[in-house]
Amino acid sequence: EQQVIDLDEEYSKVHLYALDGNSRAFQALLTLSYRFAPYLNAKLGGKYTDSRAQLRTGFRQLIMVPRYRAIASIDLETLNKKWLWNITANYVGKMRLPDKSGVPHELIHEHDGQSKPYVLMQSQLSFLTGPWEFYTGGENLLDYSQHEAIIDASMPRGNYFNAAEVYAPVGGIKLYAGIKWRWGS
């Protein structure tokens, strides 16, 4: 028996019940990878998802599931395999968000109907020598963030407060560096 989590029936309440009706999920994926040279590899991929279930409010697209996703990645490696570099971009398409009937419009911001599509980009550069790896990189390099990610954040005990619809990064660019040591190398 399939359980359904329904956030559409009534705002600020989670309804959990057994599916009474149909549900369906369809996914199509395509991935292409090509090595241009011994040191250069590129990958492209895409995914289409259509997931629906019979909720009390109708046969609806599941919430927080992007219909379209894509990825593009380039890997470079020096011939002596000492330096490795990767850059990856991820596209996340629109997602259906729960119904907001009864919520004051000035609180909804980016939570009305569908999320915005966005692209995340990350990159890492590594240097390997013996058992050591030194690396540096960054995430969310395009500095995308979801504004007003929490509905009515100023009133955490209020009727409209909702922190469950964070669908994208809420922080900016994240940089990092590190060292790894491999046992037995």
Side-chain angles (χ1 to χ4, degrees):
E1 185 171 278
Q2 183 178 349
Q3 295 294 308
V4 175
I5 298 173
D6 189 347
L7 300 175
D8 290 313
E9 189 173 337
E10 194 174 352
Y11 186 78
S12 77
K13 291 190 179 174
V14 176
H15 293 268
L16 179 64
Y17 52 86
L19 179 68
D20 183 23
N22 295 323
S23 70
R24 75 165 193 239
F26 173 79
Q27 285 191 338
L29 298 119
L30 177 66
T31 304
L32 303 169
S33 180
Y34 188 76
R35 184 167 292 281
F36 290 96
Y39 54 86
L40 177 62
N41 191 48
K43 297 175 193 164
L44 290 173
K47 180 168 100 172
Y48 170 81
T49 302
D50 185 15
S51 298
R52 298 173 184 265
Q54 182 66 47
L55 306 175
R56 291 179 183 151
T57 55
F59 192 66
R60 303 189 71 176
Q61 179 82 19
L62 296 181
I63 61 167
M64 307 294 277
V65 177
R67 191 168 283 217
Y68 298 99
R69 293 189 73 116
I71 188 169
S73 180
I74 296 173
D75 296 300
L76 283 169
E77 180 178 47
T78 57
L79 294 176
N80 65 4
K81 300 191 184 293
K82 295 267 185 203
W83 290 94
L84 308 168
W85 177 69
N86 168 272
I87 187 162
T88 301
N90 291 287
Y91 169 79
V92 180
K94 294 178 182 179
M95 298 174 241
R96 186 177 81 77
L97 300 175
D99 184 38
K100 304 284 182 317
S101 299
V103 177
H105 188 70
E106 61 272 10
L107 297 177
I108 294 174
H109 302 286
E110 294 183 15
H111 299 273
D112 195 17
Q114 291 187 331
S115 68
K116 293 180 179 180
Y118 60 93
V119 174
L120 293 177
M121 187 173 279
Q122 64 258 6
S123 184
Q124 180 170 308
L125 176 66
S126 300
F127 175 72
L128 293 93
T129 179
W132 296 95
E133 178 181 347
F134 302 89
Y135 60 90
T136 186
E139 299 174 355
N140 194 14
L141 296 176
L142 300 176
D143 201 21
Y144 179 81
S145 63
Q146 179 184 349
H147 301 288
E148 306 287 342
I150 298 174
I151 298 172
D152 204 13
S154 64
M155 298 289 293
R157 298 190 193 281
N159 292 333
Y160 302 112
F161 178 84
N162 184 343
E165 290 185 32
V166 178
Y167 58 81
V170 292
I173 297 170
K174 305 259 190 285
L175 301 176
Y176 60 86
I179 301 171
K180 290 182 189 175
W181 179 67
R182 290 186 189 83
W183 181 271
S185 292

